[in-house]
Amino acid sequence: APPPGATRLYVTGHSMGGTGALRAVAATKLFAACAPVAPAGGERPQRVLGTPVWAFHGRNDAVVPWYISENLVKGLRKLGAADDDAKLTIYEEAPTPPGWPNSEGHASTIPAYSDPALYAWLLGKRREG
C-alpha cells in the first residue's frame, strides 16, 4: 500500500508493459492516472474506469494494432469518462524501435515520453481519498 496521502502515483508502460500498467490500475485502484503506450492486450474499460487514461499508439504499429488503444478510450468514454480522463493520441507514423527493424511503428514511446503535455497532464491528476 502507498503511504498515507500518496495521491500522485502514476503508472505507464509500453507494449506488454502498457497492458501491465492497465492491469495494475484495474487490480489496485491506487494510481492517479495511467499512460499506456501501445498496450498489447489492454484491459476492459469498466475495470479501469475512474482512473484517468491517456493512451498513445502508432497507426503504423506492426506489432500491436492501434485500434486496441482506440477501443479502450472509446469504451471509457461510452461509460461516461470525461474527454480529459480518456485521452488518445495516435501517431500516423510512429518510429521503429532502434535495433528492431521488424517492429515498424512500435516505438510510440519516443514521441509520447518526449511530450511535455503528458507530464503536465499526469501532474494535474490526483487520486481521491
Side-chain angles (χ1 to χ4, degrees), residues 91-126:
Y91 302 107
E92 293 300 320
E93 293 292 327
T96 297
W100 297 87
N102 294 331
S103 299
E104 180 181 341
H106 195 53
S108 298
T109 49
I110 295 170
Y113 293 161
S114 297
D115 187 347
L118 169 61
Y119 303 100
W121 179 83
L122 287 170
L123 291 172
K125 302 298 180 184
R126 284 192 167 89

Side-chain angles (χ1 to χ4, degrees), residues 6 12-13 15 21-22 32 46 48-49 57 63 65 124:
T12 185
S15 198
L22 290 165
Q46 55 270 44
V48 296
L49 185 65
H57 220 118
V63 178

Side-chain angles (χ1 to χ4, degrees), residues 24-105:
V25 165
T28 68
K29 301 294 186 188
L30 292 176
F31 299 97
C34 178
V37 182
E43 182 60 78
R44 292 190 315 266
Q46 55 270 44
R47 292 190 32 106
V48 296
L49 185 65
T51 300
V53 172
W54 187 352
F56 298 84
H57 220 118
R59 192 176 306 277
N60 63 325
D61 193 325
V63 178
V64 178
W66 63 272
Y67 57 80
I68 289 175
S69 291
E70 182 183 59
N71 289 345
L72 171 67
V73 171
K74 280 184 174 180
L76 288 168
R77 288 181 180 166
K78 186 176 180 180
L79 291 169
D83 288 352
D84 191 56
D85 289 340
K87 294 172 62 92
L88 175 64
T89 297
I90 299 291
Y91 302 107
E92 293 300 320
E93 293 292 327
T96 297
W100 297 87
N102 294 331
S103 299
E104 180 181 341

